[in-house]
Amino acid sequence: MSQLCPLTSSPSLNIAPLSEADAPAAFALAQQWRPHLGADRWDNFLCDWKSDPDGRGILAAHNQRGGLLGFVCWWRQPDLEHGETLWAGPFVVHEMGVRPLVRQSLQEAVAELARESGANLVLRDATN
């Protein structure tokens, strides 16, 4: 699968892989979604996700000023029912006013990843 370059789904949003610099902001968003999420569990989660960059990742949505608005995790694996599949979710989004735009932009980005890899896309339906 080709390396994902920053995608612009909207003139005001930038979608790109989650960077090390964005990890603390993503953790804060994740804690709003799951308040009991501890730092050790988050760090282990990130380590696991970084261990297979071609098979899984985290896409982040940023506003024009570079602020993190949300993220979605994705992973690829074969599935008996769906064949080669790219799974995505949950969509963790904080900003109430732009939540639909952020989710749509993240969804478009994972759909593009699925197309690039020739996989079917299955979305987990959890939005915060």
Side-chain angles (χ1 to χ4, degrees):
M1 176 165 52
S2 64
Q3 184 70 14
L4 179 69
C5 297
L7 302 171
T8 303
S9 301
S10 156
S12 60
L13 292 180
N14 180 43
I15 308 296
L18 184 72
S19 69
E20 290 288 330
D22 285 329
F27 177 53
L29 272 178
Q31 281 190 307
Q32 289 177 8
W33 175 57
R34 295 289 187 255
H36 299 331
L37 179 65
D40 289 345
R41 187 166 175 206
W42 175 255
D43 290 341
N44 289 337
F45 172 79
L46 287 181
C47 184
D48 289 346
W49 282 86
K50 289 186 235 174
S51 69
D52 182 13
D54 290 331
R56 56 186 154 190
I58 302 171
L59 292 178
H62 297 87
N63 62 21
Q64 291 175 333
R65 296 178 304 274
L68 183 69
L69 299 177
F71 66 89
V72 63
C73 301
W74 64 268
W75 64 100
R76 262 188 337 165
Q77 68 184 37
D79 180 77
L80 186 58
E81 182 179 356
H82 303 289
E84 184 64 22
T85 304
L86 190 136
W87 302 83
F91 293 81
V92 180
V93 179
H94 172 64
E95 297 282 336
M96 292 299 286
V98 297
R99 182 177 286 168
L101 174 63
V102 173
R103 180 179 164 72
Q104 178 184 352
S105 297
L106 288 167
Q107 189 170 329
E108 289 171 3
V110 294
E112 183 176 323
L113 277 175
R115 279 190 302 277
E116 287 179 1
S117 64
N120 294 300
L121 178 61
V122 177
L123 301 175
R124 287 184 53 199
D125 189 23
T127 301
N128 184 39

